[in-house]
Amino acid sequence: MTDLPAAPAFGVRDLLRIPDFRRLYLAQAISDVGDGMTFLALFLLVLDLTDSTAALALLSILVALPPVTIGLFAGAFADRSDRRRIMVVSDTLRAMVVLGLVPAALAGAVPLIFVLAATQAVIGTFFAPARTALVPRVVPVEGLLAANSLGQMTRMVAGVIGAGVTGVIAGVAGTAWPVFVVDGATFLVSAVIVLRVSREAGLPEVASAASIRARAMGGAALEGLRL
């Protein structure tokens, strides 16, 4: 019996030759840098305003809860909706919320900072599932493993870069609030890049979307939890 020839490997260079994936990847990287900047800047700001470990613990809870709670429904929502639009709206709203942290920081309004931090975390929870659902529409099956691996690696590296940028800006300025100005710009740039992704790629397949809608949001979320 003759062995079948092995399929050619699909590497990073092959992925980046796909225009829509290249745009998605760049938007994700910039958005993840923004996330890294947001969270470290929030911790620095709250520590400076309160000098309280309890306040830092509360902030940690507020930004950690949405991905493990709302995240289940965000994935179900992305499965039945325009993923491209979700990403653009998510980035645009996060830019607005992050820029809103500037006057809150200048006023020393800690409760408002907590509210905005939680809001930013909730909105950001919708970005990653939308991107994950969009990737298979622009990448061939043989490239999905490489695309997902590259996305995970970039998320970790971008978070470190975002934290480093925050440290430099806060160190030079002597305060954390200028970080939010740069941070807001990263989300707006990401939104503009996603807008260049083809609209058709963002739309879910008709049959798949109809099947998911038939199960309702709660059923889809429970299925994701079981998985």
Side-chain angles (χ1 to χ4, degrees), residues 31-32 34-40 42-43 58-75 86 89-91 93-99 101 112-129 155 180 183 187:
S31 188
D32 286 344
D35 282 335
M37 293 176 66
T38 300
F39 296 133
L40 181 56
L42 280 169
F43 283 109
L58 176 58
L59 178 63
S60 299
I61 293 171
L62 289 175
V63 300
L65 277 179
V68 297
T69 53
I70 299 172
L72 293 172
F73 296 94
I86 292 172
V89 171
S90 174
D91 272 338
L93 291 179
R94 281 191 289 178
M96 295 169 61
V97 171
V98 166
L99 291 174
L101 284 165
L112 179 57
I113 291 171
F114 283 156
V115 170
L116 292 174
T119 302
Q120 197 272 352
V122 169
I123 296 170
T125 300
F126 287 84
F127 183 91
R155 179 172 298 177
F180 298 123
D183 193 9
F187 290 122

Side-chain angles (χ1 to χ4, degrees), residues 63-218:
V63 300
L65 277 179
V68 297
T69 53
I70 299 172
L72 293 172
F73 296 94
F77 183 70
D79 285 338
R80 67 182 66 196
S81 306
D82 185 338
R83 294 83 182 254
R84 175 175 168 270
R85 180 181 298 173
I86 292 172
M87 293 175 69
V88 170
V89 171
S90 174
D91 272 338
T92 303
L93 291 179
R94 281 191 289 178
M96 295 169 61
V97 171
V98 166
L99 291 174
L101 284 165
V102 174
L106 293 174
V110 175
L112 179 57
I113 291 171
F114 283 156
V115 170
L116 292 174
T119 302
Q120 197 272 352
V122 169
I123 296 170
T125 300
F126 287 84
F127 183 91
R131 179 196 173 276
T132 300
L134 206 160
V135 168
R137 299 300 306 275
V138 301
V139 173
V141 174
E142 62 270 22
L144 289 178
L145 178 60
N148 291 330
S149 299
L150 180 62
Q152 291 296 329
M153 181 187 69
T154 300
R155 179 172 298 177
M156 292 185 290
V157 173
V160 173
I161 292 174
V165 171
T166 294
V168 171
I169 296 175
V172 172
T175 183
W177 71 260
V179 175
F180 298 123
V181 178
V182 180
D183 193 9
T186 65
F187 290 122
L188 290 176
V189 170
S190 175
V192 170
I193 294 172
V194 175
L195 277 173
R196 297 186 60 198
V197 174
S198 61
R199 186 176 184 277
E200 292 74 17
L203 298 175
E205 295 179 356
V206 176
S208 175
S211 173
I212 293 169
R213 288 192 184 97
R215 288 179 302 200
M217 289 285 286

Side-chain angles (χ1 to χ4, degrees), residues 14-27:
D14 301 303
L15 288 171
L16 296 179
R17 291 191 185 102
I18 304 172
D20 276 342
F21 177 80
R22 189 166 59 243
R23 296 179 186 113
L24 281 176
Y25 173 71
L26 184 58

